[in-house]
Amino acid sequence: MNGLLAYISRRLGLTLLILLAVSFTVYLIFALLPYDPASLTCGKSCNDPGIIEANRHRLGYDKPFFEQYWIFIVGLFAGRDFGEGAAALHCAAPSFGYSFQQHACVTDLIFDALPVTLSLAIGSLILWLIVGVGLGIVAARFRGKIWDTLSTAFVLVGTSLPTFLTGLMLIVFLVIKLDWSPFPAGGYTAPDEDIVGWFLSMVLPWVTLAFAYAAIYTRFVRSQIIEISTEDYIRTARAKGLSDGIILGKHTMRAALAPIVTMAGLDFAGLLGGAILTEAVFNLPGMGRLSLNAVVDIDLPVIVGTTIFAAAIVVIMNAILDIVYAFIDPRVRV
Amino acid sequence: MLKGKKSLKVALATLSAAALAGGLLTGCAPANSGGTITYLTQSEAWTHADPQRNYTGMHIAWFGSYLQRTLTAYDRKPGAEGSAVVPDLATDTGKATNGNKTWQFTLRDGSTFEDGSAITCEDVKYGVSRTFATDVITDGPTYAIGMLDIPTDPATGASTYKGPYSTDAANDTASFDKAITCSADHKTITFNLKRAVGDFNYTVTYLSFSPVPKAKDTGDQYDLAPVSTGPYKIKSYKTNDSMVLVRNDKWNKSSDPLRADRAFPDKVVVKFGQAAEVIDQILLSDKDKTAVSLDSLLPTNLSAVFDDKGEVLAKYKGRAINVYDPYVRYAAVNVKKVNCLPVRQAIYYGKNFQSLITLAGGQAFNGDPADGVIKPLMGLDYAKTGLGTNDKDWKPEGNVEKAKALMAQAATECPELYARATDPKRGLVYDIADTETNKKASAIWIESMTAIGITMKFNFIEAGKYYSVVLDATKQGDLSAGGWAPDWANASTVIPELFTAEGGFPMSQNWDDAAYAEFKKRSDANLTQPDRVKQGKEWAALNKYAMDQMWVIPGTFSKTQEIWGSKIGGAFFWEPQGALSFGDLFIQK
Amino acid sequence: MFSKEAEQKVTGHSPRELAWRRFKSNKVAIPSLVVALLVILAVILAPLIYSLLGIDPAARDEGALDNRGEVPGDWNGISAKHPLGVVPGIGYDLLARMLFGARVSFLIALASTAITVFLGLLMGIVGGYFRGRVDGVIGRFTDFLLAFPTFFMIIALSAPTIERMEKSGLIQGNEARILYLIIIFAIFGWPYLSRIIRSQVISIRERDFVLSARALGASNFRILVKEVLPNVWTPVIIYVSLSLPGYLSAEAVFSYLGIGVQPPMPTLGTIIADSTKYMMNNSVYFFIPSLALILLVLTFNLLGDALRDALDPKSEN
């Protein structure tokens, strides 16, 4: 057990280091850009140097770079006040900053957008796992037969069709052309307001996103199964006369599970940063739209906040997966 | 995409014909109450919801219909009658004394904010005061600053009053309190102006003259949650998502005759951020029968709705229109950078008008070649300038020879600019909104400018941010696409706005030009010209003056196309706002 | 896919011949190779095709449009003069634009792939061969790069980076935009390849021929170049055939979002972005460029799969 603890603490330490490096780099990249962050805090008529300087001070852009970064990190854990006295704006921990353009704490903006992206990511994850793993198994079992060819065709179309085309075509041909279509042409309904409306508004985005991912999973699962079935213990099982179904269910899939879960975990984490194209096509106010609009408006606090948030999810998910494997498979700990 | 403003009270014969063809008479159907009207738009949010910051005709029409009342308003009627000013919060359209330098309005009894508190003179005064806080309340019209009798700093020309947020001890609140006074019963508001303004009752139709309760003012953030005075109030407003309006139960019908019998739907929803193509398809297929597009139809979808001549096809009769809007479109030349007349003229002659207009959908949809910045519909203020179709050297497809001759002239007259304009590495920069159609237009511009030896580069700016970039003198390129409509039927809201340093839309930056001093003198004098006919002639002459200097490259007298769902009734084009009269829309049962 | 007999028959041939035989026996391999070569040829020889067919990517044929910029008829004006019709609104020849656009798209995809391969090979080989601290540093660095939301970083950095490049005075306009895409694709692309190469190199360095070379006193450099490098070409070839279509469709995606090359220069992506506006109104114009992209991506994917099966039979058998 000591080995496990040592591994976990090493892994967590490493995660922390990478997180620090990523957040520092993001902060640095955007600080080096040829923008004056203070004059970006207001619109065109913000030519009044007094206002710009006041905002510069409020947002801490008047401090040296390292101090700014340090304040940012402290704000993540302790919350942060922008400005002093009665006019101060407070953002509670974890504070990712304050957007003057949107008049809101970046953390609030992220937490507004996150449920939308979560809805999208969870639904499409389920869908692509069912379709991808299912088709992958079918293709592997009926290797070289018609089912294999069909699933290959699915994979190739799925990987070669850009998401925005899939989405646009679904909207046009399944929503607008069909009079009886129950799906809306875009927009998000919160599940606590109208659960059926939420489901209907999410179906097409789920399908669009899942289509692209399912293709990758089909191919991956197929090759995993084929590779595992050549291993000795499967051959032994077959020699013992166990049926193909039992071998697949009991032995092959168990071995294939780990890599599939790893891949799914990482893809899922990546999606929480925002599925920009799907969200844009279906007009979903999620993380992708939040960050894309921030880029268009050069809303620096939001850009920095969402980027660091997205990177953190990926890094943390990576660590979780590694640690879970360390529990399951002692060899990993070395 | 264009800075919107308002237009004319003159009768528009052509427009009425188009209006009839567009089936505007559906207003005759019985008006039904109830239901939800859904507006669709590509924008991520309203440019502004704060009344003092709204300036686009379409936005004034929308917010004015549902949420914001003003002292006076344009009558909500189709055709020329829509341009008549009627009382709204005030009991009449104002009393002018002191040679049009003092204007007085009396508020109606029973008008309230959405929390039920009565609207007083002080609320209107406070609303107007916010206009002066140009550091916080950005983008709105500045007529109050220009007209109210408040001293200006002789050095900067800025008003000595800086609005209600200023903590500066030198803030000239005393002068503001003298410029707007309230009667003891809080009912009568008096405006004291620094010069005679005969049509000040048109000026106060602007939302910037609407009341704001001081206690509820949140400065910059008021833009997210303005307090309603109209028949609806904001239930929710989320950028990138939607705005939902519900009935304002504190709204007193009897004190609002303009909107009294026309607050039809129970709910009004705006869906933001829809893809342009999807909006068009929803409306073309009538998928959502109670939807209305806030955006113009894409040029690529015009043929589905209109025939070659621009008439509505039978299938869409009664739910689409193709009309002249109040705008003139042009390419403003940054005269500070392009400080050489022959170069500006070469661009004008070299431009391939024909291809650009074909790309935008053809003349039946995009409008006619313009000869200046005043539309012929302006009547009194319009006269031919001799450009465009009246210029024998001008050719729709571009006159390469003439343009080349002018460039040769420029080579000797202004070698420095000539060298930059013709250098493939530098060239001239044209600012334009980032749309697919404009991307294609840039290719046509580059082609025609290359033919006359000019290197043209394009700066594509996100459509929603376009004007905030190009109106910033430090960020503007050499040319910028622009569009302007008169704020009311007097070119005093065009010529000085576009071409004087104090104007609200000075994209030409022409005040260093040798010809400016003379122009400015005549323009200032004409603002107080009491004889309207003489004033009109002078505006027409100044329009020609600006065109002779080529301070803008004229574009089109433009048109617009609107579409709505088949269950929407009551739609008509509200001429002074250049938009549908949103408040008259209802759901047909 | 291969019977045991077939395997046995081919024993005694060189690995290259073995691979070629396996490749030939794959039903889609040869057709996709032929299509891929034809496409590459067409892209390289585009100017020749223009003059053969009498088309010109810069010429606008406004006679092919009606007075509101639309193409008369249902087939987007497909004729002998315009083999794939014209671009509505502006009157360019669609085939000529697509060929020109494909040249730009391929330039971006090929250059990104080349840099990705160079960096991935270098880092993968160095890390895998030397192991230890060097490997650790490279490994952490790839972790670090892979943690970034790539897609988003490419968008966020585009405007300011291109502005900087232009201000440097060395590179302007579309050249700067193309260079940006190439560099940024490569920066975020190489870690994937380097991981594959690293694991390959780790197994190679323990093989007999490497051990004996080392025993004979060969320098590390000599071993890397003479022994290791020739043995990692298989994953590289597979990677190239799969990343090429990946970068082609990435270019389309970023063009759709408005990042990338500006008019009048076309790319496949900008043509597709424009064509989505005509989905209902001119479906022929909408489908042709999209189908072309799908076909391209499909071809290179199929080719990549066939190469993998041929070069690396373990992944299948």
Side-chain angles (χ1 to χ4, degrees):
Chain A
M1 216 54 205
N2 268 342
L4 183 65
L5 274 178
Y7 175 78
I8 290 178
S9 53
R10 206 166 60 230
R11 191 66 187 78
L12 285 179
L14 186 66
T15 306
L16 213 62
L17 255 160
I18 293 181
L19 271 178
L20 268 175
V22 168
S23 64
F24 182 78
T25 313
V26 170
Y27 214 89
L28 183 71
I29 287 175
F30 290 103
L32 287 178
L33 293 185
Y35 300 131
D36 174 19
S39 57
L40 287 170
T41 54
C42 45
K44 69 150 204 243
S45 313
C46 197
N47 297 326
D48 185 337
I51 301 283
I52 296 177
E53 289 318 309
N55 277 347
R56 188 189 305 284
H57 178 67
R58 271 182 146 184
L59 290 176
Y61 290 133
D62 53 347
K63 299 196 171 68
F65 171 77
F66 284 99
E67 197 181 338
Q68 279 183 49
Y69 176 67
W70 174 245
I71 294 173
F72 176 82
I73 294 293
V74 170
L76 271 178
F77 295 97
R80 185 171 168 190
D81 284 323
F82 296 90
E84 289 112 17
L89 298 149
H90 178 74
C91 290
S95 162
F96 280 96
Y98 183 84
S99 162
F100 263 89
Q101 287 190 21
Q102 303 196 47
H103 321 289
C105 295
V106 176
T107 311
D108 294 343
L109 292 172
I110 290 178
F111 285 139
D112 275 351
L114 200 56
V116 181
T117 298
L118 262 176
S119 295
L120 180 62
I122 293 176
S124 58
L125 173 77
I126 295 171
L127 203 59
W128 90 57
L129 279 180
I130 293 174
V131 174
V133 174
L135 272 184
I137 293 173
V138 168
R141 269 209 75 179
F142 301 99
R143 192 137 58 102
K145 305 252 170 59
I146 180 75
W147 293 112
D148 189 21
T149 315
L150 283 179
S151 82
T152 308
F154 168 81
V155 167
L156 289 170
V157 175
T159 43
S160 54
L161 209 58
T163 322
F164 67 89
L165 279 179
T166 322
L168 276 175
M169 286 198 270
L170 282 181
I171 292 181
V172 168
F173 297 111
L174 279 188
V175 179
I176 289 163
K177 289 269 184 181
L178 288 185
D179 283 339
W180 49 266
S181 167
F183 309 116
Y188 177 72
T189 311
D192 49 332
E193 268 173 37
D194 174 4
I195 186 84
V196 176
W198 170 80
F199 183 80
L200 290 178
S201 72
M202 294 308 300
V203 170
L204 295 183
W206 285 338
V207 169
T208 303
L209 201 54
F211 190 47
Y213 279 91
I216 301 166
Y217 279 69
T218 305
R219 176 188 289 199
F220 182 69
V221 170
R222 178 178 179 272
S223 69
Q224 281 290 319
I225 293 180
I226 292 173
E227 199 173 326
I228 292 164
S229 29
T230 60
E231 293 203 8
D232 291 342
Y233 67 100
I234 304 287
R235 290 177 189 228
T236 318
R238 199 171 285 135
K240 281 199 291 188
L242 287 176
S243 79
D244 281 0
I246 291 178
I247 295 174
L248 184 70
K250 271 196 133 174
H251 300 286
T252 316
M253 279 321 286
R254 185 172 294 171
L257 202 58
I260 295 172
V261 169
T262 313
M263 191 162 150
L266 289 178
D267 281 339
F268 181 72
L271 271 182
L272 291 187
I276 293 179
L277 283 175
T278 310
E279 288 176 17
V281 169
F282 288 97
N283 190 25
L284 300 170
M287 293 290 293
R289 282 273 297 289
L290 177 67
S291 31
L292 188 60
N293 288 329
V295 170
V296 171
D297 299 344
I298 325 182
D299 192 348
L300 280 179
V302 178
I303 299 178
V304 172
T306 51
T307 312
I308 292 178
F309 179 81
I313 291 183
V314 170
V315 174
I316 292 169
M317 180 62 97
N318 238 324
I320 293 175
L321 288 169
D322 279 357
I323 291 171
V324 168
Y325 287 129
F327 267 108
I328 302 169
D329 184 354
R331 282 175 303 176
V332 176
R333 292 175 214 163
V334 190
Chain B
M1 223 148 306
L2 289 123
K3 183 75 169 187
K5 304 255 281 194
K6 325 209 306 172
S7 85
L8 340 169
K9 62 182 168 191
V10 270
L12 312 177
T14 47
L15 203 115
S16 308
L20 282 169
L24 298 191
L25 296 184
T26 47
C28 295
N32 301 334
S33 227
T36 302
I37 294 181
T38 308
Y39 291 97
L40 305 176
T41 176
Q42 210 184 339
S43 315
E44 303 284 353
W46 292 112
T47 315
H48 289 295
D50 184 325
Q52 268 74 31
R53 299 170 81 169
N54 252 332
Y55 199 178
T56 310
M58 189 264 276
H59 294 146
I60 294 172
W62 200 90
F63 282 91
S65 293
Y66 292 126
L67 296 170
Q68 304 298 341
R69 297 181 61 188
T70 39
L71 292 171
T72 64
Y74 287 102
D75 206 0
R76 291 221 307 250
K77 285 184 179 157
E81 286 183 318
S83 295
V85 162
V86 294
D88 185 354
L89 273 173
T91 52
D92 57 21
T93 55
K95 288 184 200 66
T97 52
N98 188 22
N100 287 339
K101 283 170 86 171
T102 302
W103 280 82
Q104 206 167 60
F105 299 85
T106 305
L107 298 176
R108 283 178 208 272
D109 291 323
S111 306
T112 64
F113 287 110
E114 66 176 83
D115 61 358
S117 59
I119 296 170
T120 64
C121 167
E122 282 76 8
D123 296 320
V124 179
K125 182 177 174 181
Y126 182 74
V128 178
S129 78
R130 299 172 83 243
T131 301
F132 288 81
T134 49
D135 50 347
V136 182
I137 306 302
T138 56
D139 301 342
T142 54
Y143 286 111
I145 302 175
M147 291 177 179
L148 286 173
D149 188 16
I150 295 169
T152 49
D153 184 325
T156 62
S159 173
T160 53
Y161 177 59
K162 301 287 181 204
Y165 313 118
S166 172
T167 49
D168 189 347
N171 193 26
D172 194 0
T173 314
S175 290
F176 179 71
D177 286 339
K178 266 188 268 172
I180 300 182
T181 57
C182 288
S183 63
D185 65 352
H186 313 292
K187 283 278 169 211
T188 304
I189 185 163
T190 307
F191 296 92
N192 298 304
L193 310 182
K194 67 174 80 159
R195 61 175 165 87
V197 182
D199 44 16
F200 188 71
N201 49 354
Y202 283 84
T203 313
V204 297
T205 60
Y206 271 94
L207 298 185
S208 58
F209 286 86
S210 66
V212 170
K214 189 175 181 180
K216 298 274 170 66
D217 184 18
T218 46
D220 182 30
Q221 302 207 20
Y222 196 68
D223 217 8
L224 298 177
V227 177
S228 169
T229 53
Y232 297 89
K233 62 181 178 185
I234 298 171
K235 185 180 170 227
S236 68
Y237 176 27
K238 274 186 242 156
T239 56
N240 289 333
D241 188 28
S242 65
M243 176 184 260
V244 178
L245 305 185
V246 291
R247 287 192 184 274
N248 173 7
D249 49 6
K250 296 283 171 22
W251 172 64
N252 189 348
K253 202 171 163 179
S254 62
S255 87
D256 192 354
L258 189 63
R259 298 170 187 78
D261 297 315
R262 305 199 250 187
F264 301 120
D266 288 335
K267 205 168 152 189
V268 178
V269 176
V270 186
K271 286 189 178 169
F272 298 108
Q274 304 253 279
E277 180 64 17
V278 172
I279 295 177
D280 280 10
Q281 294 311 334
I282 288 173
L283 287 155
L284 290 180
S285 64
D286 208 16
K287 168 86 186 159
D288 183 345
K289 296 183 172 54
T290 59
V292 181
S293 172
L294 286 174
D295 306 340
S296 215
L297 270 165
L298 287 173
T300 51
N301 289 322
L302 292 173
S303 65
V305 186
F306 305 97
D307 66 15
D308 287 353
K309 294 180 190 68
E311 306 288 342
V312 183
L313 294 172
K315 193 181 165 193
Y316 294 98
K317 272 260 149 45
R319 64 185 199 90
I321 44 167
N322 172 27
V323 291
Y324 281 91
D325 62 22
Y327 292 96
V328 177
R329 325 249 159 174
Y330 50 81
V333 187
N334 183 337
V335 180
K336 276 198 179 145
K337 290 185 175 175
V338 188
N339 51 1
C340 179
L341 183 57
V343 172
R344 301 199 290 268
Q345 286 172 325
I347 296 172
Y348 159 71
Y349 284 110
K351 172 186 168 186
N352 185 342
F353 177 83
Q354 190 60 54
S355 291
L356 287 168
I357 200 119
T358 302
L359 170 66
Q363 225 160 305
F365 301 98
N366 205 39
D368 315 318
D371 67 353
V373 294
I374 297 177
K375 244 176 169 165
L377 310 172
M378 288 286 283
L380 283 178
D381 300 332
Y382 175 78
K384 286 175 180 161
T385 64
L387 293 187
T389 45
N390 295 313
D391 179 349
K392 64 177 175 30
D393 288 328
W394 181 82
K395 291 179 184 166
E397 70 281 5
N399 185 343
V400 177
E401 266 170 47
K402 172 87 180 168
K404 276 188 166 166
L406 284 160
M407 284 305 284
Q409 194 186 331
T412 51
E413 260 178 51
C414 36
E416 202 176 311
L417 177 68
Y418 177 85
R420 176 164 76 91
T422 53
D423 181 351
K425 283 200 160 170
R426 294 183 288 165
L428 301 178
V429 174
Y430 191 137
D431 305 315
I432 202 165
D434 191 1
T435 68
E436 289 301 329
T437 306
N438 279 347
K439 283 194 172 153
K440 283 174 163 171
S442 74
I444 294 171
W445 268 103
I446 289 170
E447 179 191 277
S448 58
M449 290 298 111
T450 308
I452 64 168
I454 292 179
T455 302
M456 186 163 273
K457 296 184 168 182
F458 276 79
N459 180 20
F460 294 97
I461 299 164
E462 199 247 336
K465 297 276 147 189
Y466 179 73
Y467 279 105
S468 58
V469 174
V470 298
L471 284 172
D472 182 338
T474 60
K475 292 181 187 154
Q476 196 189 353
D478 298 291
L479 293 100
S480 313
W484 186 253
D487 288 1
W488 55 87
N490 190 327
S492 63
T493 63
V494 179
I495 298 293
E497 291 292 297
L498 299 189
F499 299 125
T500 66
E502 299 79 35
F505 205 58
M507 286 204 296
S508 294
Q509 301 203 41
N510 52 325
W511 39 91
D512 292 344
D513 201 54
Y516 178 71
E518 154 87 2
F519 177 87
K520 167 79 169 143
K521 208 175 79 199
R522 285 172 61 182
S523 170
D524 282 354
N526 203 37
L527 273 175
T528 47
Q529 164 66 258
D531 182 334
R532 185 65 183 86
V533 175
K534 278 189 190 159
Q535 191 189 29
K537 283 207 171 116
E538 180 69 352
W539 288 139
L542 286 169
N543 182 30
K544 179 166 166 35
Y545 189 109
M547 288 308 118
D548 288 344
Q549 297 306 320
M550 213 47 91
W551 286 336
V552 304
I553 311 289
T556 55
F557 295 137
S558 68
K559 298 182 82 171
T560 184
Q561 295 78 35
E562 314 282 338
I563 186 166
W564 54 89
S566 64
K567 284 215 151 183
I568 295 285
F572 63 86
F573 193 72
W574 197 10
E575 290 173 14
Q577 309 292 15
L580 290 177
S581 175
F582 301 110
D584 288 275
L585 304 184
F586 59 86
I587 309 287
Q588 290 173 325
K589 290 272 154 65
Chain C
M1 244 173 231
F2 311 100
S3 66
K4 279 272 171 277
E5 289 85 342
E7 288 280 14
Q8 273 151 14
K9 253 190 210 158
V10 295
T11 44
H13 292 83
S14 74
R16 192 166 297 167
E17 277 171 306
L18 278 175
W20 175 238
R21 280 181 192 226
R22 279 196 294 264
F23 186 79
K24 271 197 301 188
S25 66
N26 185 332
K27 278 182 292 263
V28 291
I30 298 296
S32 57
L33 180 67
V34 170
V35 175
L37 288 177
L38 279 178
V39 167
I40 292 175
L41 210 65
V43 168
I44 295 171
L45 299 178
L48 197 67
I49 299 175
Y50 301 152
S51 55
L52 274 178
L53 295 174
I55 53 179
D56 177 354
R60 297 189 297 114
D61 177 7
E62 293 197 306
L65 305 173
D66 65 16
N67 64 4
R68 48 182 174 178
E70 298 195 352
V71 192
D74 289 333
W75 290 95
N76 196 34
I78 291 179
S79 61
K81 199 173 163 197
H82 302 293
L84 292 180
V86 295
V87 177
I90 196 162
Y92 286 126
D93 179 273
L94 181 55
L95 177 64
R97 292 300 276 182
M98 282 171 56
L99 280 171
F100 193 164
R103 289 190 105 176
V104 183
S105 303
F106 265 95
L107 171 71
I108 294 171
L110 281 171
S112 310
T113 305
I115 300 176
T116 307
V117 165
F118 174 76
L119 285 175
L121 265 180
L122 184 72
M123 298 298 202
I125 290 180
V126 168
Y129 186 78
F130 293 105
R131 303 298 310 269
R133 183 152 296 172
V134 184
D135 191 24
V137 169
I138 293 176
R140 294 298 77 74
F141 188 58
T142 50
D143 284 350
F144 165 77
L145 269 183
L146 290 173
F148 283 95
T150 312
F151 194 89
F152 177 63
M153 294 298 287
I154 294 176
I155 300 170
L157 293 176
S158 71
T161 312
I162 290 165
E163 200 181 315
R164 276 275 159 95
M165 288 161 94
E166 289 191 327
K167 278 212 178 119
S168 76
L170 296 172
I171 194 161
Q172 294 295 321
N174 278 332
E175 289 165 18
R177 291 164 182 281
I178 292 173
L179 185 65
Y180 169 74
L181 283 181
I182 293 171
I183 292 174
I184 199 98
F185 281 169
I187 286 178
F188 288 110
W190 70 263
Y192 296 93
L193 179 64
S194 115
R195 286 194 165 181
I196 302 170
I197 300 290
R198 175 179 171 273
S199 59
Q200 187 88 358
V201 171
I202 287 175
S203 76
I204 291 173
R205 74 193 281 270
E206 306 303 330
R207 298 252 192 94
D208 293 344
F209 57 89
V210 175
L211 295 175
S212 55
R214 192 174 294 144
L216 288 171
S219 69
N220 279 333
F221 183 75
R222 196 188 154 78
I223 295 173
L224 281 177
V225 173
K226 290 270 174 180
E227 311 291 347
V228 177
L229 203 53
N231 282 294
V232 294
W233 282 120
T234 300
V236 169
I237 290 171
I238 295 167
Y239 184 85
V240 167
S241 70
L242 293 176
S243 80
L244 204 60
Y247 286 137
L248 282 176
S249 72
E251 187 277 321
V253 165
F254 288 108
S255 289
Y256 177 75
L257 290 172
I259 288 149
V261 177
Q262 285 184 347
M265 182 187 273
T267 68
L268 277 183
T270 58
I271 297 173
I272 289 173
D274 181 58
S275 77
T276 58
K277 296 279 176 288
Y278 293 83
M279 196 182 282
M280 305 289 270
N281 202 24
N282 184 343
S283 41
V284 173
Y285 174 57
F286 168 67
F287 278 114
I288 289 177
S290 294
L291 280 178
L293 176 73
I294 292 171
L295 203 74
L296 267 184
V297 176
L298 204 68
T299 304
F300 281 95
N301 265 318
L302 283 172
L303 184 64
D305 280 357
L307 280 173
R308 170 162 43 202
D309 292 350
L311 294 170
D312 188 15
K314 270 186 310 223
S315 72
E316 283 294 307
N317 267 317

